[in-house]
Amino acid sequence: MKRGNRTGKAKGTFPRFYGRHAVIAALANPNRVVRKIWGTREALNALDLPPVLPIVYADGADLGRMVPSDAPHQGIVAEVEPLDEVWLGDALEAGQDDGPGYGRPVLVLDQVTDPHNVGAILRSAAAFDALCIVTQDRHAPPESGVLARAASGALEIIPWVRVVNLARALDEIAEAGYWRIGLDGEADTTLGEAIGTSRVALVLGAEGEGLRHNSMAHCDILAKLPISPRMESLNVSNAAAIALYAAASR
């Protein structure tokens, strides 16, 4: 899949991933540049590391100072370069190769900015074989250790498309043959009723605010999850997992 230069990639600043799943997945990704790795002897000796990769042996206390407070580094920290940009057109073109009666869903996030939520959504997207996730570049978290930890390796698997204008991206998704379903708790239709046999794009908004009006206007239908009235809403990452399961089992 074609990649370009990531917009807004700051010079001289690189995210640090921590924890076995995030670091091992980064090492296994041929599109990821791992610049340096720190770890305990036990953690590093258990890995098959490239001989050219700079490594630094460190104890747990040193590693703890390199990551957020109380972060579970599991004895290993890696400095990486952010992945290059994935173009929406290339991601959608890859979806056209899906067989008849089967189409991997596209997941669109409207200003979901919490890295824990985006990481968890990436993990669900990988579990349910989503085609890609699409976010607005200025209203989504950057790659970080927190996000990579929450994604548990899925950051290296699921293409992440960052766009300037989400409404234009939704138009492009529709032109590629996707039925755009916006999740809204006030909708009359349930998600199960909204999902048909065509390829679907699931559009989710941030917690509290939900989908913006302009994003709703660029959906084909609005649908809700049939949750109990005793609960007002679900965490956006939980809602994404349920929506992806519904799309996968249609």
Short mmCIF file of all heavy atoms in Angstrom, two decimals, residues 76-131:
data_model
loop_
_atom_site.label_atom_id
_atom_site.label_comp_id
_atom_site.label_asym_id
_atom_site.label_seq_id
_atom_site.Cartn_x
_atom_site.Cartn_y
_atom_site.Cartn_z
N ILE A 76 11.13 -3.19 28.57
CA ILE A 76 11.57 -2.88 27.21
C ILE A 76 10.94 -1.58 26.71
O ILE A 76 9.75 -1.34 26.91
CB ILE A 76 11.24 -4.06 26.26
CG1 ILE A 76 11.89 -3.86 24.91
CG2 ILE A 76 9.76 -4.27 26.13
CD1 ILE A 76 11.84 -5.11 24.05
N VAL A 77 11.78 -0.73 26.10
CA VAL A 77 11.35 0.55 25.52
C VAL A 77 12.04 0.71 24.18
O VAL A 77 13.24 0.40 24.05
CB VAL A 77 11.69 1.74 26.44
CG1 VAL A 77 11.30 3.06 25.78
CG2 VAL A 77 11.01 1.61 27.79
N ALA A 78 11.31 1.18 23.17
CA ALA A 78 11.88 1.38 21.84
C ALA A 78 11.54 2.77 21.32
O ALA A 78 10.41 3.24 21.48
CB ALA A 78 11.37 0.34 20.86
N GLU A 79 12.54 3.43 20.74
CA GLU A 79 12.30 4.70 20.05
C GLU A 79 12.07 4.39 18.58
O GLU A 79 12.88 3.70 17.95
CB GLU A 79 13.51 5.63 20.21
CG GLU A 79 13.31 6.99 19.56
CD GLU A 79 14.52 7.88 19.76
OE1 GLU A 79 15.49 7.72 18.98
OE2 GLU A 79 14.50 8.71 20.68
N VAL A 80 10.96 4.90 18.03
CA VAL A 80 10.58 4.56 16.66
C VAL A 80 10.27 5.82 15.87
O VAL A 80 10.05 6.89 16.43
CB VAL A 80 9.33 3.64 16.64
CG1 VAL A 80 9.55 2.39 17.48
CG2 VAL A 80 8.09 4.38 17.12
N GLU A 81 10.26 5.68 14.55
CA GLU A 81 9.79 6.75 13.69
C GLU A 81 8.31 6.51 13.38
O GLU A 81 7.90 5.37 13.18
CB GLU A 81 10.58 6.78 12.38
CG GLU A 81 12.04 7.18 12.57
CD GLU A 81 12.76 7.38 11.25
OE1 GLU A 81 12.08 7.40 10.19
OE2 GLU A 81 13.99 7.52 11.27
N PRO A 82 7.50 7.58 13.36
CA PRO A 82 6.09 7.40 12.99
C PRO A 82 5.97 6.78 11.61
O PRO A 82 6.81 6.99 10.73
CB PRO A 82 5.53 8.83 13.02
CG PRO A 82 6.47 9.59 13.90
CD PRO A 82 7.82 8.98 13.69
N LEU A 83 4.91 6.00 11.42
CA LEU A 83 4.67 5.39 10.12
C LEU A 83 4.35 6.46 9.09
O LEU A 83 3.80 7.52 9.41
CB LEU A 83 3.50 4.41 10.20
CG LEU A 83 3.75 3.14 11.02
CD1 LEU A 83 2.45 2.35 11.17
CD2 LEU A 83 4.82 2.27 10.37
N ASP A 84 4.70 6.19 7.84
CA ASP A 84 4.37 7.11 6.76
C ASP A 84 2.87 7.13 6.53
O ASP A 84 2.14 6.20 6.91
CB ASP A 84 5.09 6.70 5.47
CG ASP A 84 6.58 7.02 5.52
OD1 ASP A 84 6.96 7.93 6.29
OD2 ASP A 84 7.35 6.36 4.81
N GLU A 85 2.44 8.17 5.86
CA GLU A 85 1.01 8.37 5.62
C GLU A 85 0.42 7.33 4.69
O GLU A 85 1.07 6.92 3.72
CB GLU A 85 0.81 9.77 5.03
CG GLU A 85 -0.63 10.18 4.85
CD GLU A 85 -0.75 11.63 4.42
OE1 GLU A 85 0.28 12.28 4.23
OE2 GLU A 85 -1.90 12.09 4.28
N VAL A 86 -0.79 6.91 4.99
CA VAL A 86 -1.55 6.02 4.11
C VAL A 86 -2.61 6.86 3.41
O VAL A 86 -3.36 7.59 4.06
CB VAL A 86 -2.23 4.88 4.91
CG1 VAL A 86 -3.05 4.00 3.99
CG2 VAL A 86 -1.18 4.06 5.64
N TRP A 87 -2.69 6.77 2.10
CA TRP A 87 -3.66 7.55 1.33
C TRP A 87 -5.00 6.83 1.31
O TRP A 87 -5.07 5.61 1.14
CB TRP A 87 -3.16 7.78 -0.09
CG TRP A 87 -1.83 8.46 -0.14
CD1 TRP A 87 -0.63 7.91 -0.46
CD2 TRP A 87 -1.56 9.84 0.16
NE1 TRP A 87 0.38 8.83 -0.38
CE2 TRP A 87 -0.17 10.03 -0.01
CE3 TRP A 87 -2.35 10.92 0.56
CZ2 TRP A 87 0.44 11.27 0.20
CZ3 TRP A 87 -1.74 12.15 0.76
CH2 TRP A 87 -0.37 12.32 0.58
N LEU A 88 -6.07 7.59 1.47
CA LEU A 88 -7.40 7.00 1.51
C LEU A 88 -7.72 6.24 0.23
O LEU A 88 -8.27 5.14 0.26
CB LEU A 88 -8.45 8.10 1.75
CG LEU A 88 -9.91 7.63 1.79
CD1 LEU A 88 -10.13 6.57 2.86
CD2 LEU A 88 -10.84 8.82 2.02
N GLY A 89 -7.38 6.81 -0.92
CA GLY A 89 -7.66 6.14 -2.19
C GLY A 89 -7.00 4.78 -2.28
O GLY A 89 -7.60 3.82 -2.79
N ASP A 90 -5.77 4.67 -1.78
CA ASP A 90 -5.07 3.38 -1.81
C ASP A 90 -5.75 2.36 -0.89
O ASP A 90 -5.87 1.18 -1.23
CB ASP A 90 -3.61 3.56 -1.40
CG ASP A 90 -2.80 4.33 -2.42
OD1 ASP A 90 -3.19 4.34 -3.60
OD2 ASP A 90 -1.79 4.93 -2.04
N ALA A 91 -6.17 2.82 0.29
CA ALA A 91 -6.85 1.92 1.22
C ALA A 91 -8.16 1.42 0.63
O ALA A 91 -8.48 0.22 0.70
CB ALA A 91 -7.09 2.63 2.55
N LEU A 92 -8.93 2.32 0.02
CA LEU A 92 -10.22 1.92 -0.56
C LEU A 92 -10.01 1.00 -1.77
O LEU A 92 -10.80 0.08 -1.99
CB LEU A 92 -11.01 3.16 -0.97
CG LEU A 92 -11.44 4.07 0.18
CD1 LEU A 92 -12.09 5.34 -0.36
CD2 LEU A 92 -12.39 3.35 1.13
N GLU A 93 -8.96 1.25 -2.52
CA GLU A 93 -8.68 0.38 -3.66
C GLU A 93 -8.37 -1.04 -3.20
O GLU A 93 -8.78 -2.02 -3.84
CB GLU A 93 -7.50 0.94 -4.46
CG GLU A 93 -7.18 0.17 -5.73
CD GLU A 93 -6.05 0.78 -6.53
OE1 GLU A 93 -5.62 1.91 -6.20
OE2 GLU A 93 -5.59 0.15 -7.49
N ALA A 94 -7.67 -1.17 -2.08
CA ALA A 94 -7.39 -2.50 -1.53
C ALA A 94 -8.68 -3.21 -1.15
O ALA A 94 -8.78 -4.44 -1.25
CB ALA A 94 -6.46 -2.39 -0.33
N GLY A 95 -9.68 -2.45 -0.72
CA GLY A 95 -10.96 -3.05 -0.34
C GLY A 95 -11.74 -3.57 -1.52
O GLY A 95 -12.62 -4.44 -1.36
N GLN A 96 -11.45 -3.07 -2.73
CA GLN A 96 -12.17 -3.54 -3.91
C GLN A 96 -11.80 -4.98 -4.28
O GLN A 96 -12.49 -5.61 -5.06
CB GLN A 96 -11.88 -2.61 -5.11
CG GLN A 96 -12.30 -1.16 -4.88
CD GLN A 96 -13.75 -1.01 -4.49
OE1 GLN A 96 -14.64 -1.57 -5.13
NE2 GLN A 96 -14.00 -0.23 -3.43
N ASP A 97 -10.72 -5.47 -3.71
CA ASP A 97 -10.30 -6.85 -3.98
C ASP A 97 -11.03 -7.86 -3.10
O ASP A 97 -10.86 -9.07 -3.29
CB ASP A 97 -8.79 -7.00 -3.76
CG ASP A 97 -7.97 -6.17 -4.75
OD1 ASP A 97 -8.47 -5.94 -5.86
OD2 ASP A 97 -6.84 -5.78 -4.41
N ASP A 98 -11.81 -7.39 -2.14
CA ASP A 98 -12.57 -8.31 -1.30
C ASP A 98 -13.58 -9.08 -2.15
O ASP A 98 -14.17 -8.54 -3.08
CB ASP A 98 -13.31 -7.55 -0.20
CG ASP A 98 -12.35 -6.94 0.82
OD1 ASP A 98 -11.19 -7.37 0.85
OD2 ASP A 98 -12.77 -6.05 1.57
N GLY A 99 -13.77 -10.32 -1.82
CA GLY A 99 -14.64 -11.18 -2.60
C GLY A 99 -16.10 -10.77 -2.53
O GLY A 99 -16.50 -9.98 -1.67
N PRO A 100 -16.95 -11.30 -3.43
CA PRO A 100 -18.38 -10.98 -3.43
C PRO A 100 -19.05 -11.42 -2.13
O PRO A 100 -18.76 -12.49 -1.60
CB PRO A 100 -18.92 -11.76 -4.63
CG PRO A 100 -17.92 -12.85 -4.88
CD PRO A 100 -16.60 -12.27 -4.48
N GLY A 101 -19.91 -10.55 -1.61
CA GLY A 101 -20.60 -10.86 -0.37
C GLY A 101 -19.78 -10.63 0.87
O GLY A 101 -20.23 -10.87 1.98
N TYR A 102 -18.55 -10.17 0.69
CA TYR A 102 -17.69 -9.89 1.84
C TYR A 102 -16.94 -8.60 1.60
O TYR A 102 -16.32 -8.42 0.55
CB TYR A 102 -16.68 -11.02 2.06
CG TYR A 102 -15.62 -10.68 3.09
CD1 TYR A 102 -15.93 -10.68 4.44
CD2 TYR A 102 -14.34 -10.32 2.70
CE1 TYR A 102 -14.97 -10.35 5.39
CE2 TYR A 102 -13.38 -9.98 3.64
CZ TYR A 102 -13.70 -10.00 4.97
OH TYR A 102 -12.76 -9.67 5.91
N GLY A 103 -17.02 -7.71 2.52
CA GLY A 103 -16.27 -6.46 2.41
C GLY A 103 -15.81 -6.03 3.79
O GLY A 103 -16.61 -5.91 4.71
N ARG A 104 -14.53 -5.82 3.92
CA ARG A 104 -14.00 -5.37 5.20
C ARG A 104 -14.54 -3.97 5.50
O ARG A 104 -14.52 -3.10 4.64
CB ARG A 104 -12.48 -5.36 5.16
CG ARG A 104 -11.85 -6.73 5.17
CD ARG A 104 -10.36 -6.66 4.90
NE ARG A 104 -10.09 -6.33 3.50
CZ ARG A 104 -8.89 -6.03 3.03
NH1 ARG A 104 -7.85 -5.99 3.84
NH2 ARG A 104 -8.73 -5.76 1.74
N PRO A 105 -15.01 -3.73 6.72
CA PRO A 105 -15.58 -2.42 7.04
C PRO A 105 -14.50 -1.35 7.18
O PRO A 105 -13.36 -1.63 7.56
CB PRO A 105 -16.28 -2.66 8.38
CG PRO A 105 -15.53 -3.78 9.00
CD PRO A 105 -15.11 -4.67 7.85
N VAL A 106 -14.88 -0.13 6.85
CA VAL A 106 -14.06 1.04 7.10
C VAL A 106 -14.57 1.67 8.40
O VAL A 106 -15.78 1.75 8.62
CB VAL A 106 -14.15 2.05 5.94
CG1 VAL A 106 -13.48 3.36 6.29
CG2 VAL A 106 -13.55 1.45 4.68
N LEU A 107 -13.67 2.12 9.25
CA LEU A 107 -14.04 2.74 10.52
C LEU A 107 -13.60 4.20 10.48
O LEU A 107 -12.41 4.49 10.31
CB LEU A 107 -13.38 2.00 11.68
CG LEU A 107 -13.96 2.18 13.07
CD1 LEU A 107 -15.42 1.76 13.11
CD2 LEU A 107 -13.16 1.37 14.08
N VAL A 108 -14.57 5.10 10.62
CA VAL A 108 -14.29 6.54 10.58
C VAL A 108 -14.52 7.13 11.96
O VAL A 108 -15.58 6.94 12.56
CB VAL A 108 -15.21 7.24 9.55
CG1 VAL A 108 -14.87 8.73 9.47
CG2 VAL A 108 -15.07 6.59 8.17
N LEU A 109 -13.52 7.84 12.49
CA LEU A 109 -13.60 8.43 13.82
C LEU A 109 -13.64 9.94 13.69
O LEU A 109 -12.73 10.56 13.14
CB LEU A 109 -12.39 8.00 14.67
CG LEU A 109 -12.15 6.49 14.80
CD1 LEU A 109 -10.93 6.23 15.69
CD2 LEU A 109 -13.37 5.79 15.34
N ASP A 110 -14.72 10.53 14.21
CA ASP A 110 -14.94 11.96 14.13
C ASP A 110 -14.49 12.64 15.43
O ASP A 110 -15.20 12.64 16.42
CB ASP A 110 -16.43 12.23 13.87
CG ASP A 110 -16.74 13.70 13.70
OD1 ASP A 110 -15.80 14.51 13.51
OD2 ASP A 110 -17.93 14.06 13.75
N GLN A 111 -13.25 13.13 15.43
CA GLN A 111 -12.67 13.86 16.56
C GLN A 111 -12.61 13.03 17.84
O GLN A 111 -12.87 13.52 18.94
CB GLN A 111 -13.42 15.18 16.79
CG GLN A 111 -13.34 16.11 15.59
CD GLN A 111 -13.74 17.54 15.89
OE1 GLN A 111 -14.31 17.83 16.92
NE2 GLN A 111 -13.44 18.45 14.97
N VAL A 112 -12.24 11.77 17.70
CA VAL A 112 -11.94 10.93 18.86
C VAL A 112 -10.46 11.15 19.17
O VAL A 112 -9.58 10.73 18.42
CB VAL A 112 -12.22 9.44 18.57
CG1 VAL A 112 -11.85 8.58 19.77
CG2 VAL A 112 -13.68 9.24 18.19
N THR A 113 -10.17 11.83 20.26
CA THR A 113 -8.81 12.31 20.52
C THR A 113 -8.08 11.56 21.63
O THR A 113 -6.87 11.73 21.78
CB THR A 113 -8.85 13.80 20.90
OG1 THR A 113 -9.69 13.98 22.04
CG2 THR A 113 -9.39 14.64 19.74
N ASP A 114 -8.77 10.75 22.42
CA ASP A 114 -8.12 10.07 23.53
C ASP A 114 -7.27 8.91 23.01
O ASP A 114 -7.80 8.02 22.33
CB ASP A 114 -9.17 9.54 24.51
CG ASP A 114 -8.54 8.93 25.75
OD1 ASP A 114 -8.00 7.82 25.66
OD2 ASP A 114 -8.59 9.58 26.81
N PRO A 115 -5.97 8.88 23.28
CA PRO A 115 -5.11 7.82 22.72
C PRO A 115 -5.47 6.43 23.24
O PRO A 115 -5.28 5.44 22.51
CB PRO A 115 -3.70 8.24 23.16
CG PRO A 115 -3.91 9.14 24.33
CD PRO A 115 -5.19 9.85 24.07
N HIS A 116 -5.99 6.33 24.46
CA HIS A 116 -6.42 5.02 24.96
C HIS A 116 -7.57 4.48 24.12
O HIS A 116 -7.60 3.30 23.75
CB HIS A 116 -6.86 5.11 26.42
CG HIS A 116 -5.76 5.48 27.37
ND1 HIS A 116 -5.50 6.78 27.74
CD2 HIS A 116 -4.84 4.71 28.02
CE1 HIS A 116 -4.48 6.80 28.58
NE2 HIS A 116 -4.06 5.56 28.78
N ASN A 117 -8.53 5.36 23.80
CA ASN A 117 -9.67 4.93 22.99
C ASN A 117 -9.26 4.58 21.57
O ASN A 117 -9.69 3.56 21.03
CB ASN A 117 -10.73 6.04 22.96
CG ASN A 117 -11.57 6.08 24.22
OD1 ASN A 117 -11.74 5.07 24.90
ND2 ASN A 117 -12.09 7.25 24.54
N VAL A 118 -8.43 5.41 20.95
CA VAL A 118 -8.01 5.12 19.58
C VAL A 118 -7.19 3.84 19.54
O VAL A 118 -7.35 3.01 18.63
CB VAL A 118 -7.22 6.30 18.99
CG1 VAL A 118 -6.66 5.95 17.62
CG2 VAL A 118 -8.10 7.55 18.89
N GLY A 119 -6.33 3.62 20.53
CA GLY A 119 -5.57 2.38 20.58
C GLY A 119 -6.47 1.16 20.73
O GLY A 119 -6.29 0.15 20.04
N ALA A 120 -7.46 1.26 21.62
CA ALA A 120 -8.40 0.14 21.80
C ALA A 120 -9.21 -0.10 20.54
O ALA A 120 -9.52 -1.24 20.18
CB ALA A 120 -9.32 0.43 22.98
N ILE A 121 -9.58 0.97 19.83
CA ILE A 121 -10.33 0.84 18.58
C ILE A 121 -9.48 0.17 17.52
O ILE A 121 -9.96 -0.70 16.76
CB ILE A 121 -10.83 2.22 18.11
CG1 ILE A 121 -11.95 2.71 19.04
CG2 ILE A 121 -11.32 2.17 16.67
CD1 ILE A 121 -12.33 4.16 18.83
N LEU A 122 -8.21 0.51 17.44
CA LEU A 122 -7.30 -0.16 16.50
C LEU A 122 -7.23 -1.66 16.80
O LEU A 122 -7.22 -2.49 15.88
CB LEU A 122 -5.91 0.45 16.58
CG LEU A 122 -5.69 1.76 15.83
CD1 LEU A 122 -4.44 2.46 16.32
CD2 LEU A 122 -5.59 1.48 14.33
N ARG A 123 -7.20 -2.00 18.08
CA ARG A 123 -7.14 -3.42 18.46
C ARG A 123 -8.40 -4.15 18.01
O ARG A 123 -8.33 -5.26 17.47
CB ARG A 123 -6.98 -3.52 19.97
CG ARG A 123 -6.72 -4.92 20.48
CD ARG A 123 -6.40 -4.89 21.97
NE ARG A 123 -6.05 -6.23 22.46
CZ ARG A 123 -5.68 -6.47 23.72
NH1 ARG A 123 -5.59 -5.48 24.59
NH2 ARG A 123 -5.38 -7.71 24.09
N SER A 124 -9.57 -3.52 18.20
CA SER A 124 -10.82 -4.14 17.74
C SER A 124 -10.87 -4.21 16.22
O SER A 124 -11.37 -5.18 15.64
CB SER A 124 -12.02 -3.35 18.27
OG SER A 124 -12.10 -3.43 19.68
N ALA A 125 -10.36 -3.17 15.57
CA ALA A 125 -10.34 -3.15 14.10
C ALA A 125 -9.51 -4.31 13.56
O ALA A 125 -9.88 -4.95 12.57
CB ALA A 125 -9.79 -1.82 13.60
N ALA A 126 -8.39 -4.60 14.21
CA ALA A 126 -7.57 -5.74 13.79
C ALA A 126 -8.28 -7.05 14.07
O ALA A 126 -8.25 -7.99 13.25
CB ALA A 126 -6.22 -5.69 14.50
N ALA A 127 -8.95 -7.14 15.22
CA ALA A 127 -9.63 -8.38 15.59
C ALA A 127 -10.76 -8.71 14.63
O ALA A 127 -11.02 -9.89 14.35
CB ALA A 127 -10.17 -8.26 17.02
N PHE A 128 -11.46 -7.69 14.12
CA PHE A 128 -12.60 -7.92 13.24
C PHE A 128 -12.27 -7.61 11.78
O PHE A 128 -13.17 -7.42 10.97
CB PHE A 128 -13.80 -7.11 13.71
CG PHE A 128 -14.36 -7.60 15.03
CD1 PHE A 128 -14.17 -6.87 16.19
CD2 PHE A 128 -15.04 -8.80 15.11
CE1 PHE A 128 -14.67 -7.32 17.41
CE2 PHE A 128 -15.54 -9.26 16.32
CZ PHE A 128 -15.36 -8.52 17.47
N ASP A 129 -10.98 -7.55 11.46
CA ASP A 129 -10.53 -7.46 10.07
C ASP A 129 -11.07 -6.23 9.35
O ASP A 129 -11.58 -6.33 8.22
CB ASP A 129 -10.91 -8.74 9.31
CG ASP A 129 -10.08 -8.92 8.04
OD1 ASP A 129 -8.98 -8.35 7.98
OD2 ASP A 129 -10.55 -9.62 7.12
N ALA A 130 -10.97 -5.07 9.97
CA ALA A 130 -11.37 -3.83 9.30
C ALA A 130 -10.37 -3.50 8.20
O ALA A 130 -9.19 -3.89 8.26
CB ALA A 130 -11.45 -2.69 10.30
N LEU A 131 -10.84 -2.77 7.20
CA LEU A 131 -9.97 -2.37 6.10
C LEU A 131 -8.99 -1.30 6.55
O LEU A 131 -7.80 -1.34 6.24
CB LEU A 131 -10.82 -1.85 4.94
CG LEU A 131 -10.06 -1.36 3.71
CD1 LEU A 131 -9.33 -2.51 3.03
CD2 LEU A 131 -11.03 -0.68 2.73
#
